[in-house]
Amino acid sequence: MIRRWSFLVAALLPTYVFATFVNPSILEACPGYSASNVKVRHDGLSADLTLAGSPCNVFGNDVKKLSLEVTYETSDRLHVKITDPSSTRYEVPESILPRPSSSPSTSSKSSAIQFSYNSSPFSFTVSRSSDNEVLFSTTGHALIFEPQYLRVKTSLPANANIYGLGEHTNTFRLPTDNTTLTLWSRDAYGVPTGSNLYGNHPVYFEHRTSGTHGVFLLNSNGMDVKLTGGNGNSSDPNGGLGLEYNVIGGVLDFYFLAGSESDPTAVARQYAEVVGVPAEVPYWSFGLHQCRFGYQNFVDVANVITRYAAAQIPLETMWTDIDYMFQRRIFTVDPDYFPLSRMREIVDYLHAHEQRFVLMTDPAVAYLPGDTYAPYNNGKMLDVWLKAPNGSESLGVVWPGVTVFPDWFHPNAQQYWTSEFASFYSPVTGLDIDGAWIDMNEPSNFCNLPCDDPYQQAIQMNIPPPRTNPPPDPNTPIFVNSSEQALGRRDDDDDLLNPPYAINNAAGALSSKTAFTNIKHFNNLSEYDTHNLYGTLMSSATQHAMLSRRPTKKTLVITRSTFAGAGAHVGKWLGDNFSQWDHYRASIAGVLGFAGVYQVPMVGADICGYAEDTTENLCARWAMLGGFYPFMRNHNSDTSISQEFYTWPSVAQAARNALDIRYRLLDYIYTAFHQAHTDGTPVLQPLWFKYPKDPSTFPIDLQFFFGDSVLVSPVTDQDATSVSIYLPHDTFYDFLTLAPIQGTGGTETLQNVNFTTIPVYIKGGAVLPLRVQSSMTTTELRKQDFEFVVAPDALSGQASGRLYIDDGETLSPPSSATTQVKMAFSGGTLDVTGSFGFETGVSVKRVRFLGVGEKPAEGQVKVDGKSVGGKSVTWDAETKVLDVNIGIKFERAFSVQIRAQ
């Protein structure tokens, strides 16, 4: 969120520091290392690596001796670590990312992947055990290991399918024609393509028709990952395509994931074993969220809530941006524009109507020594602020003016953050929020280098800005006639501000627009090493603060900056996008990256775009696409026109239509999230996850699967009413009509797709648990009956599904308080079995069988072995849908048979 002041900030930008370029032939000519003292174990090996010739010293002195440790941790995971035994180099602390445990019984003989090496010059190869296919190989590429520069390169097959290495706005399948992916957190207004953005996930999945595998480099230092030599334009002296890591610190700590030869989702589950499974979120969090930077006062906020209800658009959660703060200071309200008593009235109203409330909280705290501002004074007393090298508090410029930043490594940081949350967000005396929104946590800093006078820069930027409108009458009525609806340290001679290798940071120098990288944290770690962890550290602290407020309840925390493993604590929105069609399209690849690869599944983009003015048609299309983001929020900036869904009739209808589908599917997607929390199975999937042998699916990122079985194919061209979609060779069913459609493994053009419609299909082979109808809130939705939609696959006539139900909010309900159901259809009979510990209070109204060629004869349809007929059984000859009304209380197993066996 930025950015009324972007014009002024741009005028003050420092001179850019461009990425370092060295002719690849120079790097490849480096001597590399030789392996010796190799000790082989049943579960791996260790070796010494010694510089094999005259040092290159490209960006510093080559380390002369290294240690190699190879461990087969599980049958699917290989750990390869290269370190400098002569010094204690920085590694990602285990407190931030706990290391996965190894299975003591694993050996190289039982592993699905194999490690092999050449002694001199040292190189290594990871290959698949079943067929010896090479998955990763540094052969022919020199290993370089210097104090502030590490280089490893692997060869790739031609036309490689690489996914991940974010955060970025490239296509989901990465372009391999000399692409540089930079990992260094920054405030990336406009989410420009081809630059580093807010988060850092140094993991990639590579897919081939022979299988899918993954590679994770556990390193939080800044880096450039280069895909070189695509399309025949090779800069590699050895020829061919390569993937090259250029890292400015730390160690080489690789996890190789075997994946699977048949199921691409297996590699996602294996990655979750390393970085952690995603946190579960409350049922209500899948409802519609509304926010804006620019609501002028409490009356504006109340009116938005009222207008959504009047438009009959289900609004689950109202959000408020920094507008509510006094002079943009966190943990305050403006007494004239957002008085506490009136804001508490809004929160009470929302809660009385089964709706929720979320507020923005930034990490930057106004620097006000000698003032009565408690959030600064409390942090000062606990000594939690980041310190400059001279020991003074490190100052920046953010929304409230001159600021300080919490040092999340400080042992008092959690106490400070939890206490501030408990006080300001108190249900009794403060604002009783239901979830938290954290922003600007790269951390973002408006101060231009050298930032030696932040006070003057704040004055130049007019920060904090004065209010431009008079405050409302504090007694203004609201809701009138409303609806009732392991730690290391760096060598002291390292250059922590301007390292010899300059990564391709779009903001310029490493410290530009963020915290100074020469800051030492409380535990003596430098910001240079830990910068990319700042957002995730804040995320963890915020989740803990929220759980402290409501210890037994699942919570929702949405962040901007993430690192590997962040999904175990928080969800994520994709940042400050624009109201443009290309940003609408790019959002699909963005959510696929986080939900499909990075294990951060609660993800979405700002619907209709954050900055600039949306159009009615774009907002209508985006409202429907946003209905299939896991995190669905409309949010825009203070300099843009209003874009709440009720603003235009077509957008209001599009939102109602999308939300009707979404809410009926809500238990289905809640089940998918529970599965993700259990084992890491992705909640969104690209088409190639389902059709791994079909090369036509590999580049597709304008269609995706919502959950396991719902194919979403939005219209993606500007103002178009037609769309060309790819339907794999499989059976699908139109979600609205339930009529069967046979995919042929080719492209089909859909015509006359109006601006309130989005093409959605059910994949054959699924049993979907749906609510019979939508509702205005998720609380009311849970009172609606279920229906099961049986969509058989054409080949076997079978289908299956699952359903998980709990109370939607208890943090860790015992299995005895949950309902976990399996649905299996085979041979004309649907069997619904499982445990029924949670009292749903509703019934299964009907079962809908799709693709039924003719109406069964009288007596053939049976429920729990007893024949039913008459009005209980209906068949539509056009859509081939057979409905069986059963009206069974959803508290036990049952079966429905539609033909004699």
Side-chain angles (χ1 to χ4, degrees), residues 162-175 180-183 191-199 574 586 589-590 593-594 598:
I162 305 292
Y163 308 85
L165 298 172
E167 180 178 2
H168 55 71
T169 50
N170 295 89
T171 52
F172 184 52
R173 183 178 69 173
L174 290 168
T180 296
L181 301 151
T182 300
L183 275 63
V191 290
T193 300
S195 77
N196 52 309
L197 302 180
Y198 310 101
L574 296 180
F594 277 91
Y598 309 140

Side-chain angles (χ1 to χ4, degrees), residues 94-274:
E94 291 226 21
S95 61
I96 309 305
L97 191 65
R99 304 306 192 262
S101 59
S102 297
S103 172
S105 62
T106 300
S107 70
S108 60
K109 293 180 180 179
S110 62
S111 177
I113 48 178
Q114 296 294 319
F115 177 91
S116 59
Y117 68 95
N118 293 317
S119 295
S120 186
F122 169 76
S123 64
F124 71 89
T125 297
V126 177
S127 56
R128 188 179 291 117
S129 300
S130 62
D131 56 9
N132 296 319
E133 182 175 10
V134 173
L135 307 180
F136 189 99
S137 177
T138 67
T139 301
H141 305 296
L143 168 65
I144 301 175
F145 202 110
E146 297 171 349
Q148 291 184 268
Y149 179 69
L150 311 177
R151 190 242 192 188
V152 174
K153 183 172 182 177
T154 177
S155 299
L156 295 172
N159 303 312
N161 302 298
I162 305 292
Y163 308 85
L165 298 172
E167 180 178 2
H168 55 71
T169 50
N170 295 89
T171 52
F172 184 52
R173 183 178 69 173
L174 290 168
T176 55
D177 186 12
N178 299 321
T179 296
T180 296
L181 301 151
T182 300
L183 275 63
W184 186 256
S185 295
R186 74 179 185 101
D187 184 342
Y189 180 64
V191 290
T193 300
S195 77
N196 52 309
L197 302 180
Y198 310 101
N200 307 278
H201 297 268
V203 58
Y204 72 85
F205 295 172
E206 184 188 347
H207 178 65
R208 309 174 186 180
T209 54
S210 57
T212 313
H213 65 277
V215 180
F216 173 46
L217 173 58
L218 178 48
N219 184 303
S220 67
N221 288 85
M223 67 181 77
D224 289 334
V225 184
K226 299 181 179 181
L227 294 168
T228 57
N231 297 335
N233 300 318
S234 177
S235 58
D236 177 358
N238 297 294
L241 179 63
L243 187 151
E244 176 184 295
Y245 297 90
N246 298 267
V247 190
I248 62 172
V251 300
L252 296 173
D253 195 359
F254 283 102
Y255 290 88
F256 295 95
L257 310 172
S260 168
E261 296 175 52
S262 59
D263 178 11
T265 65
V267 73
R269 287 185 287 273
Q270 292 162 17
Y271 181 56
E273 291 178 359
V274 179

Side-chain angles (χ1 to χ4, degrees), residues 185 363 386 405 440-445 513-515 527 531 534-535:
S185 295
L386 285 179
F405 302 90
M440 312 293 288
N441 54 350
E442 292 70 37
S444 178
N445 178 8
K513 300 302 178 184
T514 190
E527 181 66 8
H531 169 80
Y534 194 90

Side-chain angles (χ1 to χ4, degrees), residues 283 354 667 771-775 777-786 838 840-843:
Y283 190 91
E354 300 169 338
D667 296 273
R771 297 285 178 167
V772 171
Q773 63 183 25
S774 182
S775 295
T777 65
T778 61
T779 300
E780 286 299 310
L781 181 67
R782 292 173 66 89
K783 300 175 185 177
Q784 302 297 321
D785 286 341
F786 279 95
F838 178 75
T840 65
V842 301
S843 298

Side-chain angles (χ1 to χ4, degrees), residues 842-869:
V842 301
S843 298
V844 178
K845 182 177 181 180
R846 63 181 174 181
V847 177
R848 314 195 75 182
F849 297 92
L850 311 188
V852 179
E854 59 183 19
K855 186 174 183 179
E858 192 69 26
Q860 280 192 326
V861 178
K862 298 179 180 180
V863 178
D864 290 336
K866 297 180 180 180
S867 297
V868 296

Side-chain angles (χ1 to χ4, degrees), residues 420-650:
E420 297 303 318
F421 265 66
S423 175
F424 185 66
Y425 296 126
S426 166
V428 178
T429 60
L431 298 177
D432 188 15
I433 57 173
D434 299 283
W437 177 23
I438 52 177
D439 187 18
M440 312 293 288
N441 54 350
E442 292 70 37
S444 178
N445 178 8
F446 300 160
C447 197
N448 295 294
L449 295 178
C451 194
D452 48 13
D453 190 351
Y455 294 96
Q456 182 59 35
Q457 290 204 30
I459 293 170
Q460 287 180 274
M461 297 179 192
N462 198 28
I463 294 176
R467 300 277 185 179
T468 57
N469 295 312
D473 184 326
N475 298 311
T476 302
I478 57 177
F479 303 122
V480 177
N481 298 322
S482 64
S483 168
E484 291 301 318
Q485 317 289 10
L487 304 186
R489 60 178 179 80
R490 299 199 58 81
D491 293 334
D492 292 337
D493 57 356
D494 284 352
D495 190 336
L496 304 185
L497 293 174
N498 297 292
Y501 178 88
I503 60 173
N504 192 35
N505 179 24
L510 292 183
S511 300
S512 180
K513 300 302 178 184
T514 190
F516 284 102
T517 49
N518 63 349
I519 285 172
K520 292 286 186 177
H521 290 275
F522 179 86
N523 56 3
N524 205 38
L525 295 183
S526 70
E527 181 66 8
Y528 177 91
D529 291 316
T530 64
H531 169 80
N532 285 344
L533 301 176
Y534 194 90
T536 292
L537 284 161
M538 183 186 183
S539 297
S540 177
T542 303
Q543 185 204 33
H544 283 112
M546 289 296 291
L547 292 176
S548 179
R549 293 177 65 249
R550 298 178 177 179
T552 64
K553 292 186 177 183
K554 300 170 186 173
T555 191
L556 175 72
V557 179
I558 297 294
T559 185
R560 191 168 75 176
S561 182
T562 57
F563 184 73
H569 309 286
V570 294
K572 147 84 180 171
W573 99 102
L574 296 180
D576 296 337
N577 59 1
F578 285 175
S579 296
Q580 297 177 1
W581 286 91
D582 59 341
H583 285 219
Y584 162 85
R585 289 186 288 268
S587 72
I588 303 174
V591 296
L592 281 174
F594 277 91
V597 179
Y598 309 140
Q599 291 292 340
V600 188
M602 195 59 175
V603 60
D606 281 346
I607 297 170
C608 301
Y610 172 76
E612 302 183 337
D613 292 338
T614 191
T615 65
E616 181 175 357
N617 287 349
L618 174 59
C619 201
R621 289 289 185 219
W622 217 328
M624 289 181 289
L625 171 60
F628 297 93
Y629 295 155
F631 172 59
M632 183 184 186
R633 186 183 68 170
N634 182 333
H635 176 228
N636 71 320
S637 78
D638 61 337
T639 57
S640 305
I641 62 172
S642 296
Q643 63 183 38
E644 291 82 7
F645 288 152
Y646 53 71
T647 304
W648 301 272
S650 70

Side-chain angles (χ1 to χ4, degrees), residues 394-429:
S394 181
L395 304 182
V397 178
V398 196
W399 291 117
V402 179
T403 62
V404 289
F405 302 90
D407 179 353
W408 302 111
F409 284 109
H410 197 287
N412 294 337
Q414 186 65 66
Q415 175 188 342
Y416 166 73
W417 204 240
T418 297
S419 176
E420 297 303 318
F421 265 66
S423 175
F424 185 66
Y425 296 126
S426 166
V428 178
T429 60

